[in-house]
């Protein structure tokens, strides 16, 4: 969004912006109906997507276009270069049809051999590799900076790597020989999984639905109404054709854009839905979990994260700070980034000085520009409330704290927020600060400097502080000491992932990318492998020449 300047200047900017957008838009408008039971069906109206760049160049025109088109889909406004796609809206009847189609397809799909269902994962990876540019462009259109879009893409390649797929298959089916018995420990699909991806990253999150399908479940995918395009593209244009290729029954995958409350209320009450895979805020997710239990359903939750980076006295400070600056990627609106730092007092000043330097490379810009890492923050009132509270409580502003324009100029009206660091002295009262205790979801990170003490006492305090976090997505540690590493590995029980001397948000084969304890994953939270979470264990014994009497009472 541009601010200041005369009306004539703003008009000139809008005209120039429209010209640039016209050059960018060469492909036809993407249009997706509801996808139910293997067919595209009509919806109850449309929601439109305008490009992420347009919302920065001319937010007034972009919002006006969306509103006019959603009132009149036949309007000539659909030809405007800012408009990149549309998705049909589901009615109650369509939601019911999707559940019925999934329930009808689930037994047939579950009967497919595991090896054949695993082929879906291999083919999905092949399609990701073939359509890399299209995947990244879809994210850029939804305002993800290009650099982050490529990280999201590479993360999915790790989730669907040959190593990871092999490990998933081992977990789904293992066999043993015991005397005259063939013993099988396997996981069976839960049935119908209703999947709710989040608004901040719907495309890569929706891709986790492929893993639910690989377990043998049928899936009903809800594309977020406010940002539906990429989810519908992935399900309809990428996943559905692979399922057809594999011979999956119609209804194995259903995808539709729908109102969140309307959909959740229906899914909770619907006896045809077995699991609800929900990605969103902790308060809403924990309420959903209670409702699911009351209605006999499994809730699979990916909620907020409030991750901590621990920096010991012997850490490689520049590299540790590289990991800490991940807190600002996407303006902190990614649950997997660090949300706080706990630093040994011996290296606190060095770390803060290095952090001030490295923050200078974190800049805003249009999403398709290289090296842009910040995203717009539309609702920033809470950011300033949290910052003011921290400073009033005795925190020290190290850097940042203001709004800025797309070119990085400080401004009282800009839609970007400066990467902001606050020093908090004292571990004992750190969680009295809301910026320490809660997930902020802003480019705002507290650096908690522990009180001086012996290393033995500090190590105990650091472990206790990490384990006491009510959230539990990821934790990370920076140290050169094998003893400190061993202590953290043995004693840190909180969280779904522990990273040591590594990128905090980076993904690797075999290990989970999501999942955690407490406010991150609910009462049943743990590291989240969607193939395993949407299935259940079953033991099988196949005997030959065994006497039942002897099996019970012995020879």
């Amino acid at each position: 969004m541009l601010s200041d300047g005369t009306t004539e200047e703003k008009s000139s900017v809008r005209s120039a912006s429209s010209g640039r957008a016209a050059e960018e838009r060469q492909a036809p408008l993407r249009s997706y109906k509801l996808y139910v039971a293997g067919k595209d069906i009509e919806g109850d109206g449309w929601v439109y997507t305008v490009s992420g760049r347009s919302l920065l160049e001319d937010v007034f025109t972009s919002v006006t276009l969306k509103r006019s088109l959603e009132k009149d889909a036949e309007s000539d406004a659909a030809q405007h270069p800012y408009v990149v796609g549309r998705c049909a809206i589901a009615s109650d009847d369509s939601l019911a049809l999707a559940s019925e189609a999934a329930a009808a397809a689930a037994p047939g799909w579950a009967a497919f051999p595991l090896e054949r269902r695993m082929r879906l994962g291999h083919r999905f990876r092949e399609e990701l590799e073939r359509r890399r540019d299209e995947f990244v462009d879809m994210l850029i259109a939804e305002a993800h900076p290009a650099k982050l879009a490529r990280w999201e893409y590479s993360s999915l390649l790790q989730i669907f790597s040959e190593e990871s797929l092999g490990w998933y298959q081992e977990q789904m089916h293992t066999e043993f020989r015991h005397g005259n018995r063939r013993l099988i420990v396997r996981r069976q699909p839960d049935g119908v999984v209703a999947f709710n991806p989040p608004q901040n990253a719907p495309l890569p999150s929706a891709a986790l639905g492929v893993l639910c399908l690989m377990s043998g479940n049928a899936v009903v995918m809800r594309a977020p109404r406010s940002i539906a395009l990429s989810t519908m593209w992935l399900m309809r244009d990428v996943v559905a054709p692979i399922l057809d290729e594999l011979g999956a029954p119609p209804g194995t995958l259903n995808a539709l854009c729908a109102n969140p409350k309307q959909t959740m209320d229906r899914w909770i009450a619907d006896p045809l839905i077995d699991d609800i895979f929900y990605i969103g805020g902790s308060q809403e997710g924990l309420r959903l979990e209670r409702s699911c239990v009351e209605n006999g359903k499994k809730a699979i939750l990916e909620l907020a994260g409030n991750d901590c980076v621990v920096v010991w006295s012997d850490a490689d400070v520049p590299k540790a700070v590289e990991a800490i600056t991940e807190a600002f990627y996407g303006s902190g609106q990614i649950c997997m980034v660090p949300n706080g730092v706990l630093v040994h007092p011996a290296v606190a000043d060095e770390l803060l000085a290095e952090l001030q330097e490295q923050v200078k490379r974190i800049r805003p810009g249009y999403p398709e520009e290289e090296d842009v890492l910040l995203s717009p923050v539309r609702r920033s009132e809470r950011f300033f409330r949290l910052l003011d509270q921290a400073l009033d409580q005795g925190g020290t502003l190290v850097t940042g704290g203001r709004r800025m324009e797309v070119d990085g100029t400080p401004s009282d009206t800009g839609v970007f927020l400066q990467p902001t660091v606050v020093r908090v002295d004292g571990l004992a009262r750190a969680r009295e600060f809301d910026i320490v205790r809660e997930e902020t979801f802003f480019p705002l990170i507290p650096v908690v400097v522990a009180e001086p003490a012996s290393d033995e006492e500090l190590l105990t305090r650091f472990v206790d502080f990490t384990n006491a976090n009510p959230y539990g997505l990821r934790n990370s540690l920076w140290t050169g000491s094998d003893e400190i590493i061993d202590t953290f590995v043995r004693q840190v029980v909180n969280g779904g992932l522990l990273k040591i001397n590594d990128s905090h948000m980076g993904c690797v084969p075999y290990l989970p990318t999501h999942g955690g304890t407490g406010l991150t994953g609910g009462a049943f939270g743990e590291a989240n492998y969607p193939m395993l979470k949407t299935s259940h264990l079953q033991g099988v014994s196949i005997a030959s020449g065994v006497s039942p009497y002897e099996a019970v009472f012995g020879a």
Side-chain angles (χ1 to χ4, degrees):
M1 182 191 299
L2 299 173
S3 65
D4 304 324
T6 65
T7 302
E8 182 179 348
E9 288 171 338
K10 291 180 180 179
S11 176
S12 174
V13 168
R14 281 196 291 269
S15 176
S17 300
S18 297
R20 287 195 297 272
E23 293 176 4
E24 293 168 5
R25 163 115 171 254
Q26 297 175 354
L29 180 75
R30 294 182 183 271
S31 183
Y32 294 99
K33 296 181 180 180
L34 310 175
Y35 184 67
V36 178
K39 299 178 182 177
D40 297 308
I41 65 174
E42 299 292 336
D44 188 13
W46 299 90
V47 290
Y48 284 78
T49 298
V50 295
S51 71
R53 182 184 182 103
S54 74
L55 292 167
L56 293 172
E57 289 183 332
D58 190 351
V59 68
F60 176 79
T61 298
S62 299
V63 172
T64 301
L65 280 168
K66 274 179 62 71
R67 289 175 179 168
S68 67
L69 283 167
E70 287 164 12
K71 289 179 181 178
D72 177 14
E74 303 305 318
S75 167
D76 290 342
Q79 304 307 314
H80 195 285
Y82 281 171
V83 181
V84 295
R86 68 178 186 174
C87 299
I89 305 169
S91 64
D92 272 343
D93 289 343
S94 301
L95 288 168
L97 284 174
S99 298
E100 291 165 7
W109 175 240
F112 276 48
L114 174 62
E115 291 76 12
R116 191 168 173 188
R117 298 197 312 263
M118 292 299 301
R119 181 64 184 152
L120 171 61
H122 295 283
R123 285 286 295 113
F124 182 65
R125 180 188 169 91
E126 291 170 5
E127 283 300 294
L128 283 178
E129 292 174 334
R130 186 176 73 84
R131 306 173 79 151
R132 174 186 181 276
D133 292 344
E134 194 175 358
F135 181 96
V136 171
D137 287 345
M138 291 298 298
L139 287 171
I140 290 172
E142 292 183 342
H144 292 229
K147 199 165 189 175
L148 285 181
R150 288 193 289 273
W151 163 72
E152 292 170 273
Y153 170 82
S154 66
S155 297
L156 287 181
L157 292 185
Q158 298 296 341
I159 293 171
F160 290 93
S161 68
E162 292 296 322
E163 300 96 326
S164 294
L165 291 173
W167 189 85
Y168 304 153
Q169 186 165 348
E170 289 176 11
Q171 303 305 305
M172 292 294 293
H173 189 104
T174 305
E175 297 197 11
F176 309 91
R177 294 299 308 186
H178 182 70
N180 292 331
R181 293 182 179 87
R182 174 188 171 203
L183 304 180
I184 303 170
V185 179
R186 66 182 183 183
R187 301 193 70 90
Q188 295 283 58
D190 288 341
V192 176
V193 176
F195 201 111
N196 182 84
Q199 295 184 62
N200 65 310
L203 174 53
S205 298
L208 300 178
V210 175
L211 297 165
C212 305
L213 289 164
M214 289 162 58
S215 287
N217 300 289
V219 168
V220 180
M221 180 69 64
R222 183 190 82 88
R225 179 164 175 159
S226 61
I227 185 165
L229 189 66
S230 65
T231 299
M232 292 303 296
W233 167 78
L234 186 73
M235 295 295 108
R236 182 64 188 88
D237 288 359
V238 182
V239 182
I242 302 175
L243 287 170
D244 290 342
E245 174 188 312
L246 295 173
T252 300
L253 172 66
N254 307 272
L256 30 73
C257 172
N259 176 278
K261 186 177 188 308
Q262 168 196 21
T263 306
M264 286 298 161
D265 289 348
R266 173 169 284 279
W267 284 352
I268 290 168
D270 192 338
L272 299 178
I273 300 293
D274 297 291
D275 298 354
I276 299 179
F277 199 129
Y278 177 86
I279 306 178
S282 289
Q283 291 184 353
E284 298 86 350
L286 295 177
R287 283 196 296 267
L288 173 69
E289 182 178 58
R290 290 193 293 271
S291 297
C292 283
V293 171
E294 290 168 359
N295 286 272
K297 301 181 190 303
K298 181 192 289 186
I300 300 161
L301 305 178
E302 281 297 332
L303 308 178
N306 192 21
D307 297 5
C308 186
V309 177
V310 177
V311 182
W312 197 248
S313 58
D314 61 350
D316 183 327
V317 170
K319 287 184 178 177
V321 169
E322 280 185 34
I324 293 167
T325 59
E326 293 171 12
F328 306 121
Y329 294 1
S331 292
Q333 297 173 109
I334 304 171
C335 67
M336 298 150 68
V337 302
N339 273 258
V341 180
L342 175 56
V343 61
H344 193 292
V347 290
D349 291 339
E350 179 188 355
L351 180 137
L352 286 165
E354 179 69 24
L355 187 52
Q356 281 184 284
E357 284 302 308
Q358 290 200 28
V359 158
K360 294 175 183 177
R361 66 182 174 85
I362 310 292
R363 70 177 189 87
Y366 294 105
E368 71 276 10
E369 293 177 352
E370 289 300 321
D371 297 327
V372 168
L373 287 168
L374 293 174
S375 301
V377 180
R378 299 290 168 185
R379 297 176 181 174
S380 55
E381 296 81 6
R382 184 167 178 264
F383 169 86
F384 290 103
R385 186 165 65 251
L386 287 166
L387 178 58
D388 289 345
Q389 180 194 59
L391 300 181
D392 288 344
Q393 288 178 276
T396 303
L397 181 64
V398 177
T399 188
R402 294 194 62 186
R403 293 186 179 94
M404 58 182 169
E405 299 293 342
V406 69
D407 63 357
T409 304
S411 162
D412 291 334
T413 57
V415 294
F416 291 91
L417 295 171
Q418 292 178 335
T420 301
V421 179
V422 175
R423 175 174 177 151
V424 175
D425 285 293
L427 186 58
R429 57 182 291 263
R431 287 207 170 101
E432 295 176 12
F433 289 72
D434 284 351
I435 60 169
V436 176
R437 186 173 60 249
E438 302 172 4
E439 180 195 47
T440 65
F441 225 57
F442 294 116
L444 170 64
I445 192 165
V447 176
V448 177
V449 181
E451 303 90 337
S454 69
D455 278 359
E456 181 179 4
E457 185 176 351
L458 282 173
L459 180 57
T460 298
R461 290 181 186 176
F462 278 26
V463 169
D464 290 346
F465 185 84
T466 304
N467 281 331
N469 187 349
Y471 299 80
L473 182 54
R474 297 179 175 214
N475 297 299
S476 61
L477 167 69
W478 283 87
T479 179
S481 165
D482 290 340
E483 180 184 353
I484 302 299
I485 291 172
D486 181 63
T487 299
F488 263 71
V489 170
R490 285 187 294 105
Q491 297 184 16
V492 171
V493 297
N494 190 23
L497 195 66
L498 174 61
K499 303 288 289 293
I500 298 173
N501 297 329
D502 202 348
S503 161
H504 186 89
M505 63 186 284
C507 301
V508 294
Y510 302 112
L511 296 187
T513 58
H514 295 71
T517 53
L519 296 177
T520 291
F524 308 101
E526 61 180 357
N528 190 349
Y529 295 93
M531 279 195 76
L532 310 185
K533 293 284 278 187
T534 58
S535 59
H536 52 275
L537 277 172
Q538 183 184 67
V540 179
S541 174
I542 304 172
S544 174
V546 169
S547 163
Y549 185 88
E550 292 180 358
V552 175
F553 297 108

